[in-house]
Amino acid sequence: MAAWEGGDAGGGCKVCIASPSVVKGEGTGEGKERDSGGANPCAKQNMEERGSPDGDPARNLEQGPEGPETPIQVVLRVRPMSAAELRRGEQSVLHCSGTRTLQVGPPPHSPKNTYREDASHTPAVRSFSCTVFTFGQTGSGKTYTLTGPPPQGEGVPVPPSLAGITQRTFAWLLDRVQHLGAPVTLHASYLEIYNEQVRDLLSLGAPRPLPVRWNKTRGFYVEHLRVVEFGSLGALMELLQMGLSRRRSSAHTMNQASSRSHALLTLYISHQTMPPVDTGEPPAGGKLCFVDLAGSEKVTATGSRGELMIEANSINRSLLALGHCISLLLDPQRKQNHIPFRDSKLTKLLADSLGGRGVTLMVACVSPSAQCLPETLSTLRYASRAQRITTRPQAPKSPVAKPPQHLETELLQLQEENHRLRSQLGQMDPKASGLIGARVSWAQRNLYGMLQEFMLENERLRKEKRQLQSSRDLAQDEQRILAQQVHELERRLLSACYLHQPGPGPAPPCPCVMVPPPPCHALPPLCPCPCCHLCPLCQAPLAHWACPRSELHLPQVFGSKAPADIPLSARPPPWVPPCSPGSAKCSRERSHSDWIQTQVLAEMLTKEEVVPSAPPLPMGPLNTSPVLRGGAAVPNLARRLEALKDQIGSSLGRGRSQPPPTEGT
Ligand SMILES: Nc1ncnc2c1ncn2[C@@H]1O[C@H](COP(=O)(O)OP(=O)(O)OP(=O)(O)O)[C@@H](O)[C@H]1O
C-alpha cells in the first residue's frame, strides 16, 4: 500500500496521502476522510504471529473480548505560519487541497484552516483502550493540537473554538456518560517521561521517578501512579491544568514554550456494576490516553546547549525507539522478530496502543514554513508508515470476571458427581429407594434431636461460664482488699518495731518512703504523708527515739504550748484526745510510755475488725471461706494477714516488757 506518490522537498510537487486525513490549523469542523483500513491481507497474520514473549508483551496478556482488526488512524495538522516565521520572511510551502491532498509549493490560494474531532473515542466507552498521540518536529503545534492555546490569564477561559482535542473529548465523554443510563466512574492519571524517568504530574508531593512494570493483566504500567476520581468537566479541567503547569518546558529558538518531556494523560472509564476490587490498580474498563510527544529537534537548529541538549538527546532517542518499533510492526518479512518495546519507557507505555489491543489515532503536526520542510517530510513519512499498522482492539480482562482455576475444577467435579449419583439412584429398585428414604428421614429426625440437645447443652454451659466469671471477679476484688490490708499491717508492724527499738542507733528509714500508704477503708492509714519522718503515733520526729539530744525536738513536737516542766516520758502524744475536765483519766496524769503501751494501741493494731467488702461467693459449702474459690493467692493473703496480726501482737508484747525510751538515751 503506497503512502506517498512522488514528493520532493523543494520543487512544488504534489504529495498525495493515501490514508492520513489532512487537518489544518485552528478552526471549525470540516469532515475528515480516512482509509478503509483492513486492506492489508497480511495484517491478521501479523497480529497473530508477530513478536515474542519478550518483545511483544501485548501478545502475552490475558485478554477479554476481541474487536475487529483496525488500522491506526492518522491525521495531519498544518499549523499557520507563526509571527516569528513571518518576521524572518520565511515562505509557507504546504497547502491543503481537500482533506486528502497536501501540496508542497507556493500557495495557489490562501488555505482555510479546518479542524475536526475524530469520532474514534467511542470504543473507550466500550471498555477498549484508546490512544490519541501527537508527533512532529519541535514547534509544530503538538501541544496546541491537544490542549489548545495556554490561558491568556487567570480566569480567562480559552474560547471553545480554540479548545484542543483533549478538552473537546472531555466534554464529549462526560456528555456521553450522562446519556449512557448506567452508572459510570471516571478516573484520571497524568504522567510525563522526562530524560527517561517517569514522573507523576498529579502526585501530591513533588513528582518523583516511578518504576514501569509489566504483568499479564495490565501489560506495561507505572507503579504507584496517582489515579484521581473526577465527576465533572470542571474537575477534569483542573487536573489537566495542574499537569500542564507541572510539566517540564523551556525556551529555545524554535519555540518559546517547548515541552521537554512526553506527557500521557489517561482517563479510565469503568462501569459501577462491577464490584470494586482493591488491587491497587486503576479500575478495569475502558481507557482513553492522550499522548503529547516531545518534538524531535536538530540541536543545531534549536541552539540547545547544556541541559537543553541532554533533554533533546533523550527525546530523540526515545522517538527513534518508537520509530523502530513502528517499522518492525509493519514489516511482514520480520513478523517472527520481537518488537523492542522495552527499549524505552515511551515504547513500553505505548506498546498497548501500537502493539495490538488498542484503538489508536495519531496526529502528525507540521509547520508550513519552507525552513522546516525536511523535518515536515520526515514527519509525513512517519505518518504514512504508522497508518499501515493494524491493531485488534481487545477489552482488558477484568480481575473480577475471572473465576479462580480451582473453583472451576471443583465445579466440574461436583457436576460430575451429581450426575453419577443421579444415575445410580435411577438404577435402584423402588423397594431399595423406599428403604433409603426411611433411613434418611430417621437420620434427619435424629439429627434434629441431636441438634436440640446440643443447643440446650450449649446454653447450660454458657450459664455456668457466666457464674464462674462472676465468682472469679468477686475473688479478685477480695484478693485486692486483703492485699491492701496486709500492706497496711506491714507498715504498722514496721512502725511498732521502730517505736520499741531499744537504745540509740541510726535513724530508721521512714516506712512511708518505702511504702506509700494505700487508701484502705478497712484500716485507716496511720500517716497521710508519703514521706513522713514523724512517728505515726505521736508525731515526734522518728530520729528522736534514737537521738541523745531528743529534748531539742520537743518544740517541734509540742509547739510553743508544750509544758516545759513536764518530762517527755510524762507527756501524752499529740493524737490523744483532749482530756475532759474532771475526768479521772486525764492525759496529764499518764506518761508517754503509758500511752504507747496502752491497750488503745494494741487494739488499734491488732483487734481492729477486718471486714471484707465483697459479699460471699455464691457457690461452695457454708463453712468454706469464699476466698478459697478465688485461687491460691487469696488464702495465702489471708494466712499472711493472720501471721502479721500475731507478729504485731508479739512485737507489742516485747515492747511492753522493754523499758520505754527515756530522755538522754
Ligand atoms: N493551530 C495553531 N494555531 C495557532 N497557533 C498555533 C497552532 N499550532 C501551534 N501554534 C503556536 O505555535 C507555537 C508552537 O506550538 P506548540 O508549543 O504546540 O508546539 P509543539 O509541537 O508542542 O512544540 P514542542 O515539541 O517544542 O513542545 C505556539 O506558540 C503555539 O501557540
Side-chain angles (χ1 to χ4, degrees):
M1 188 166 63
W4 297 95
E5 274 177 20
D8 175 295
C13 65
K14 190 180 169 197
V15 180
C16 291
I17 306 171
S19 175
S21 308
V22 178
V23 178
K24 301 184 298 170
E26 70 273 274
T28 51
E30 203 176 286
K32 175 191 90 59
E33 287 174 38
R34 70 172 179 81
D35 194 273
S36 56
N40 182 355
C42 301
K44 188 164 186 283
Q45 200 186 4
N46 282 352
M47 285 305 301
E48 283 166 359
E49 295 181 10
R50 128 180 105 216
S52 67
D54 179 49
D56 186 2
R59 210 174 154 221
N60 300 296
L61 296 177
E62 289 169 352
Q63 292 166 336
E66 221 177 44
E69 194 167 310
T70 316
I72 285 184
Q73 300 171 53
V74 183
V75 293
L76 180 70
R77 191 180 203 203
V78 185
R79 73 158 165 78
M81 289 289 281
S82 73
E85 286 165 339
L86 291 172
R87 252 198 324 272
R88 288 196 294 264
E90 293 172 15
Q91 287 290 307
S92 171
V93 289
L94 295 188
H95 310 285
C96 305
S97 48
T99 54
R100 285 176 63 89
T101 310
L102 181 74
Q103 267 197 323
V104 179
H109 57 268
S110 188
K112 182 175 179 288
N113 291 330
T114 59
Y115 175 83
R116 184 187 165 208
E117 189 188 339
D118 194 271
S120 68
H121 315 311
T122 317
V125 188
R126 288 193 275 129
S127 295
F128 291 127
S129 162
C130 302
T131 310
V132 181
F133 68 91
T134 53
F135 68 100
Q137 180 193 11
T138 181
S140 58
K142 297 180 292 296
T143 308
Y144 191 101
T145 299
L146 272 185
T147 55
Q152 296 306 300
E154 190 80 15
V156 183
V158 175
S161 61
L162 295 182
I165 295 178
T166 310
Q167 290 95 332
R168 288 167 193 243
T169 311
F170 288 173
W172 171 87
L173 182 72
L174 283 158
D175 181 64
R176 204 50 214 273
V177 159
Q178 271 174 6
H179 290 94
L180 261 185
V184 166
T185 48
L186 300 165
H187 292 80
S189 68
Y190 203 176
L191 64 87
E192 69 173 350
I193 305 171
Y194 173 73
N195 282 349
E196 264 315 270
Q197 279 188 345
V198 175
R199 290 152 33 99
D200 190 347
L201 293 174
L202 301 182
S203 65
L204 292 173
R208 287 179 298 118
L210 299 178
V212 177
R213 308 225 183 275
W214 184 88
N215 74 22
K216 275 202 164 222
T217 333
R218 298 171 67 186
F220 286 110
Y221 66 96
V222 178
E223 200 173 50
H224 306 311
L225 184 67
R226 188 165 171 240
V227 180
V228 184
E229 187 172 352
F230 64 91
S232 68
L233 189 61
L236 185 53
M237 291 296 188
E238 270 176 31
L239 293 178
L240 175 69
Q241 281 311 320
M242 179 181 172
L244 282 174
S245 63
R246 294 173 92 181
R247 196 178 164 194
R248 297 279 187 130
S249 71
S250 299
H252 58 65
T253 45
M254 294 185 73
N255 190 356
Q256 284 309 297
S258 173
S259 313
R260 312 311 289 162
S261 63
H262 309 296
L264 279 78
L265 167 67
T266 311
L267 307 185
Y268 307 90
I269 304 133
S270 54
H271 291 271
Q272 277 171 358
T273 42
M274 293 182 199
V277 191
D278 190 14
T279 53
E281 300 176 9
K287 198 168 85 169
L288 184 51
C289 184
F290 301 91
V291 186
D292 183 7
L293 292 179
S296 57
E297 64 184 69
K298 281 188 178 156
V299 284
T300 45
T302 54
S304 300
R305 298 269 177 282
E307 202 182 359
L308 275 183
M309 190 147 95
I310 297 172
E311 290 166 356
N313 287 340
S314 169
I315 292 167
N316 288 342
R317 244 196 327 273
S318 55
L319 290 174
L320 205 69
L322 179 63
H324 189 46
C325 289
I326 290 177
S327 312
L328 290 177
L329 284 168
L330 284 173
D331 190 350
Q333 304 304 314
R334 305 180 70 176
K335 60 191 173 192
Q336 298 295 340
N337 288 352
H338 82 269
I339 313 298
F341 285 117
R342 288 171 202 269
D343 276 4
S344 74
K345 298 263 166 70
L346 178 67
T347 42
K348 281 180 186 177
L349 296 180
L350 291 182
D352 206 19
S353 321
L354 298 172
R357 25 175 223 170
V359 176
T360 305
L361 167 71
M362 287 174 78
V363 185
C365 295
V366 289
S367 156
S369 167
Q371 302 303 113
C372 298
L373 197 56
E375 280 78 21
T376 301
L377 290 176
S378 159
T379 304
L380 294 176
R381 265 185 228 113
Y382 210 88
S384 167
R385 280 153 80 187
Q387 55 90 39
R388 284 188 286 144
I389 303 175
T390 52
T391 61
R392 187 182 287 274
Q394 277 172 309
K397 228 175 186 184
S398 157
V400 246
K402 185 176 178 273
Q405 185 74 38
H406 73 273
L407 279 185
E408 267 179 29
T409 324
E410 212 167 301
L411 189 69
L412 277 176
Q413 281 170 356
L414 284 172
Q415 277 172 349
E416 246 173 51
E417 193 177 341
N418 197 353
H419 185 73
R420 190 165 40 81
L421 288 172
R422 270 172 199 275
S423 64
Q424 277 176 9
L425 261 178
Q427 282 165 11
M428 281 180 179
D429 61 351
K431 243 192 200 170
S433 62
L435 195 66
I436 284 170
R439 264 190 207 157
V440 166
S441 71
W442 174 84
Q444 273 175 351
R445 268 206 315 278
N446 243 21
L447 272 178
Y448 184 70
M450 271 166 72
L451 189 67
Q452 272 185 328
E453 254 175 46
F454 276 135
M455 280 165 71
L456 286 173
E457 174 77 2
N458 205 2
E459 192 46 44
R460 195 181 56 72
L461 284 171
R462 267 196 209 140
K463 220 178 189 171
E464 203 173 310
K465 189 180 148 203
R466 271 200 301 275
Q467 279 175 351
L468 283 170
Q469 273 172 347
S470 73
S471 300
R472 188 199 57 198
D473 292 347
L474 286 171
Q476 277 174 351
D477 283 350
E478 188 110 0
Q479 184 186 354
R480 209 174 41 249
I481 289 161
L482 282 171
Q484 282 174 1
Q485 288 174 355
V486 167
H487 192 72
E488 184 57 24
L489 280 169
E490 275 174 350
R491 285 183 60 241
R492 288 177 189 204
L493 177 62
L494 212 59
S495 303
C497 289
Y498 294 143
L499 276 175
H500 300 291
Q501 202 174 18
C510 173
C512 309
V513 175
M514 297 188 298
V515 276
C520 173
H521 62 281
L523 294 173
L526 280 176
C527 174
C529 165
C531 58
C532 175
H533 289 271
L534 299 176
C535 166
L537 301 174
C538 67
Q539 298 296 303
L542 276 177
H544 162 78
W545 308 110
C547 176
R549 294 187 299 149
S550 56
E551 279 303 296
L552 291 178
H553 297 293
L554 284 177
Q556 295 165 26
V557 176
F558 294 102
S560 57
K561 287 182 187 166
D565 55 325
I566 305 172
L568 174 68
S569 58
R571 289 171 197 161
W575 52 264
V576 174
C579 172
S580 54
S583 162
K585 282 196 167 187
C586 179
S587 62
R588 281 176 181 272
E589 293 161 25
R590 303 181 70 166
S591 70
H592 188 270
S593 54
D594 282 347
W595 282 111
I596 296 167
Q597 292 172 24
T598 188
Q599 189 63 28
V600 176
L601 174 64
E603 269 177 19
M604 208 175 92
L605 291 172
T606 60
K607 294 193 176 168
E608 201 167 41
E609 204 182 357
V610 179
V611 186
S613 63
L617 291 172
M619 315 281 280
L622 279 177
N623 55 355
T624 313
S625 166
V627 296
L628 289 178
R629 287 178 63 82
V634 178
N636 282 349
L637 279 173
R639 273 201 297 279
R640 207 167 142 211
L641 186 63
E642 289 306 317
L644 275 170
K645 281 181 182 173
D646 288 350
Q647 213 177 332
I648 289 169
S650 62
S651 170
L652 284 171
R654 258 204 327 277
R656 277 193 206 101
S657 64
Q658 283 171 2
T662 54
E663 291 164 75
T665 56

